[in-house]
Amino acid sequence: MMESEAWAQRAPEDEVLKQLRLADTYFRHSVASLVILDRDFNFVRVNQTYADACRRDINDFVGHNHFDLFPSDARLIFEEVLRSKQGYVTFTRPFEFADQPERGVTYWDWTLVPVLDLAGEVEYLVFSLVEVTARKRAEQLIWHQANIDGLTGAPNRYLFKERLQQRLDLVPPAPFALLLLDLDHFKEVNDTLGHDKGDELLIEAVRRIDACLGGPGQAARLGGDEFAVTVTDREQLATLDNLAGRLVASVAAPYHLGGERAFVSASIGIAHYPTDGATIADLLRHADQAMYAAKSAGRNRYTRFSHALQDAMQQRISLSNDLRDALGLGQLEVHYQPIVELATGRVCKAEALLRWHHPRRGAVSPAHFVPLAEASGLIVDIGDWVFRRAAEQVRRVMALDCPEFQIGVNVSPLQFRNDAGMRKRWLAHLAALGLPTRSVGIEITEGLLLDVSAELTETLRRFSAAGIQISLDDFGTGYASLAYLTRFDLDVLKIDRTFVHRMDSHASDLALCEAIVAMAHKLGMTVVAEGVETRRQRDLLEAAGCDYGQGYLFARPMAGPALEASLRGARH
């Protein structure tokens, strides 16, 4: 027997009536929506608050079945209460009024109480409702802000990692692939077209990734221009190379951004669960290593993780750490490769080339350690040191009765971007040594010219105005158009060795070298041909009017004392 029934049997009749009147008053005037149903879910009574919440007349309910008026999956909960006959149940359910579509989805907190008869069977169901739509929408907004990227609408890093952990927790575990995708050259879009256009590109990139994978919400934005995808579909896993290829091609298609066209590509790293890692940290690290390998291999491609790749990455990290100490420990040296005037055979220039003698690895190729120096920011200090060594070397050479001698130093694009005081510092150093500014030139690559920022243009202009000669190195292998040759103050054009190497056996390469020489002279520039290795190449270049040659035919790179000895020998 319920406590209320026992009390009713003991209480005087007038007290019972008093309590019933109080209950009736509460029912009619409660701010909560109150409803009484029979065991077949027919309305027995509702209060005015409930009628108002439903936007119906209070007389519209009695005689009707609750779930005929308001179809809902909550019926399953009601039926379970009928079966259990115990206690009460609270729950929250979304609901959409069919006859009031303008209200959209509403949310309600329910409290459902069974009322038993003397035989212990459910005679009535009493429930109360409180609309919590505002609260639920606030919770949804908070969840959305915490889990969804505000720009692209894609899941953010937090939600992606949460879902990834859910996949890892599956029993039994199910294999899947993790793809990390980074946009190549996205910074150039932001710098040249502005951040608004960059945002448009990111939104379109997400749409393209999702389309390749079969629907919205597939790509998560981890931050910046980096995205992540998990591939779980068996068919997609079986043809993962095809899928990755489609992603690369889709991202690389031109972007039309409000009248402007932009081009980016994607570098993708792939790691597999469980073979490449059993934790989120391992999978993300290995996919990131594979993505870096894709970038190092030329971008616009995908790379799968492998243990050989991991070993190479660890060696790279070790080498990068060693490079931080190399300058202070005296492991770096500057060698100089002579540049010969073809008409006279005189050595009147040299290019400064950095060398690293590692105590355990021996000679480390610049192709290996210069990118590490750029990635770590060490290139600024190392580049400054190379310039000073070259300046000191040219002063010693000029003392050998070579007053017009010049040494060129290679300057990384990152030195221009990250070292605002470079120009003033270098000019001051030349002045302190009593050297003319033309004694040390700077060599840049075509890639630097793609940065059309006002700061770069002004820096190059000021170098040139101060008398520093500027050489464009490796011409013909990069992305620079002929327009760049007139936009910047360039003094020297260096023909890349790939054209020189085949000019004596391929008529097209010879014609190209001849055209470069003629064009450079028309623009007031002198020309240096790199990689000259045979007498035949030298003769063809001289016949084409090329001014200077550099290569093993004339001399290999040598240390400073050897350069001085060579110049002394040439003058005796």
Side-chain angles (χ1 to χ4, degrees):
M1 182 180 298
M2 297 182 66
E3 182 179 351
S4 59
E5 296 167 346
W7 170 84
Q9 290 181 0
R10 294 193 304 270
E13 184 177 350
D14 58 342
E15 186 65 24
V16 172
L17 293 175
K18 180 181 177 181
Q19 295 297 327
L20 290 175
R21 284 196 300 272
L22 288 173
D24 179 69
T25 300
Y26 172 78
F27 187 91
R28 286 186 289 109
H29 299 291
S30 174
V31 295
S33 297
L34 299 176
V35 179
I36 301 175
L37 303 179
D38 64 23
R39 62 176 293 105
D40 295 320
F41 311 133
N42 296 312
F43 285 101
V44 175
R45 188 179 181 187
V46 303
N47 70 354
Q48 189 62 50
T49 305
Y50 180 77
D52 292 342
C54 296
R55 297 181 184 176
R56 290 172 176 263
D57 187 273
I58 196 169
N59 298 313
D60 291 345
F61 298 94
V62 177
H64 294 282
N65 186 277
H66 178 273
F67 293 106
D68 288 343
L69 287 181
F70 306 119
S72 168
D73 63 353
R75 184 183 187 111
L76 299 175
I77 301 175
F78 279 56
E79 291 173 345
E80 177 58 32
V81 171
L82 284 180
R83 286 191 296 271
S84 66
K85 306 177 185 180
Q86 296 180 4
Y88 65 92
V89 175
T90 61
F91 56 93
T92 302
R93 271 292 187 276
F95 183 77
E96 191 168 4
F97 288 88
D99 58 342
Q100 301 167 36
E102 73 281 357
R103 298 178 70 172
V105 177
T106 55
Y107 293 87
W108 303 81
D109 279 349
W110 297 64
T111 300
L112 188 61
V113 181
V115 178
L116 307 183
D117 59 18
L118 295 177
E121 298 298 327
V122 175
E123 186 172 9
Y124 299 106
L125 287 174
V126 178
F127 65 84
S128 64
L129 298 96
V130 178
E131 185 174 359
V132 292
T133 302
R135 187 193 77 196
K136 289 295 293 185
R137 288 178 178 167
E139 291 172 353
Q140 290 170 347
L141 177 62
I142 293 171
W143 183 91
H144 192 277
Q145 291 173 336
N147 293 276
I148 302 299
D149 176 56
L151 173 65
T152 64
N156 64 12
R157 176 184 291 271
Y158 175 82
L159 181 57
F160 174 77
K161 293 179 75 172
E162 182 180 271
R163 290 177 174 175
L164 189 58
Q165 186 61 56
Q166 291 171 356
R167 293 213 61 82
L168 294 176
D169 292 340
L170 289 177
V171 179
F176 64 87
L178 170 64
L179 280 65
L180 288 188
L181 185 152
D182 189 79
L183 300 184
D184 307 318
H185 309 300
F186 176 71
K187 182 178 184 300
E188 284 85 339
V189 175
N190 265 344
D191 292 345
T192 56
L193 299 182
H195 289 274
D196 288 346
K197 294 293 188 292
D199 288 348
E200 290 182 36
L201 191 150
L202 291 173
I203 294 170
E204 173 62 13
V206 167
R207 189 199 65 76
R208 294 183 185 186
I209 297 169
D210 284 348
C212 286
L213 293 163
Q218 304 298 308
R221 185 185 181 200
L222 302 188
D225 59 352
E226 186 175 14
F227 303 91
V229 168
T230 53
V231 177
T232 60
D233 180 77
R234 289 186 178 181
E235 184 175 341
Q236 288 184 331
L237 285 172
T239 58
L240 192 59
D241 287 328
N242 291 336
L243 175 61
R246 291 200 307 273
L247 285 169
V248 170
S250 180
V251 172
Y255 292 80
H256 300 277
L257 309 173
E260 300 280 358
R261 283 206 311 166
F263 296 87
V264 298
S265 56
S267 295
I268 301 176
I270 303 174
H272 290 267
Y273 172 82
T275 55
D276 296 334
T279 66
I280 291 178
D282 286 343
L283 289 168
L284 286 173
R285 183 173 65 255
H286 292 163
D288 189 66
Q289 290 174 357
M291 183 179 71
Y292 179 85
K295 283 189 175 293
S296 299
R299 299 183 173 88
N300 194 32
R301 67 193 65 223
Y302 67 90
T303 300
R304 291 174 179 264
F305 171 80
S306 67
H307 291 290
L309 186 68
Q310 185 179 31
D311 292 342
M313 181 64 67
Q314 290 174 343
Q315 291 183 15
R316 177 179 178 273
I317 293 172
S318 175
L319 196 63
S320 182
N321 291 336
D322 291 345
L323 183 59
R324 294 182 180 277
D325 301 322
L327 188 59
L329 295 176
Q331 297 171 6
L332 297 182
E333 295 180 7
V334 181
H335 285 194
Y336 305 91
Q337 185 169 32
I339 298 174
V340 173
E341 187 177 43
L342 294 179
T344 64
R346 291 189 306 114
V347 176
C348 48
K349 298 173 181 282
E351 179 182 357
L353 299 169
L354 186 60
R355 297 291 183 262
W356 181 13
H357 295 283
H358 193 281
R360 297 187 310 277
R361 303 171 188 263
V364 181
S365 169
H368 290 155
F369 73 80
V370 169
L372 297 180
E374 291 178 327
S376 63
L378 293 172
I379 194 66
V380 172
D381 290 340
I382 292 175
D384 206 52
W385 177 80
V386 170
F387 179 87
R388 291 174 178 271
R389 293 298 299 266
E392 293 159 5
Q393 183 62 57
V394 79
R395 184 174 66 166
R396 288 192 291 271
V397 171
M398 291 173 71
L400 301 175
D401 195 25
C402 301
E404 300 299 317
F405 202 84
Q406 181 189 79
I407 293 179
V409 296
N410 294 282
V411 182
S412 164
L414 291 177
Q415 290 175 258
F416 282 94
R417 297 188 186 113
N418 301 341
D419 189 2
M422 177 177 66
R423 181 184 60 84
K424 290 183 178 179
R425 195 169 60 251
W426 286 7
L427 292 176
H429 187 66
L430 293 177
L433 294 177
L435 293 172
T437 53
R438 71 168 305 279
S439 62
V440 180
I442 61 175
E443 298 192 8
I444 63 176
T445 59
E446 293 183 41
L448 179 64
L449 300 186
L450 293 176
D451 184 352
V452 293
S453 64
E455 292 80 5
L456 170 65
T457 305
E458 181 62 15
T459 299
L460 288 175
R461 188 196 66 79
R462 290 187 177 184
F463 265 122
S464 183
I468 299 285
Q469 285 199 340
I470 301 173
S471 301
L472 183 59
D473 200 9
D474 301 331
F475 181 74
T477 61
Y479 302 97
S481 70
L482 298 180
Y484 290 112
L485 300 182
T486 58
R487 182 180 301 172
F488 297 94
D489 294 323
L490 302 173
D491 302 289
V492 181
L493 209 61
K494 301 188 75 172
I495 303 175
D496 187 74
R497 65 183 67 250
T498 56
F499 303 116
V500 174
H501 178 68
R502 303 192 310 170
M503 65 181 301
D504 53 355
S505 58
H506 290 72
S508 58
D509 284 344
L510 174 59
L512 186 58
C513 290
E514 292 172 339
I516 292 174
V517 171
M519 175 193 65
H521 287 168
K522 286 286 187 180
L523 295 175
M525 292 183 281
T526 57
V527 181
V528 177
E530 299 180 293
V532 183
E533 297 181 353
T534 68
R535 175 66 63 177
R536 172 68 173 161
Q537 292 168 353
R538 193 211 75 85
D539 292 342
L540 290 172
L541 288 165
E542 183 181 8
C546 185
D547 304 290
Y548 301 95
Q550 176 182 353
Y552 287 177
L553 174 66
F554 308 113
R556 292 176 177 269
M558 59 190 72
L563 175 66
E564 296 168 30
S566 173
L567 292 172
R568 286 195 198 94
R571 282 158 175 74
H572 292 88

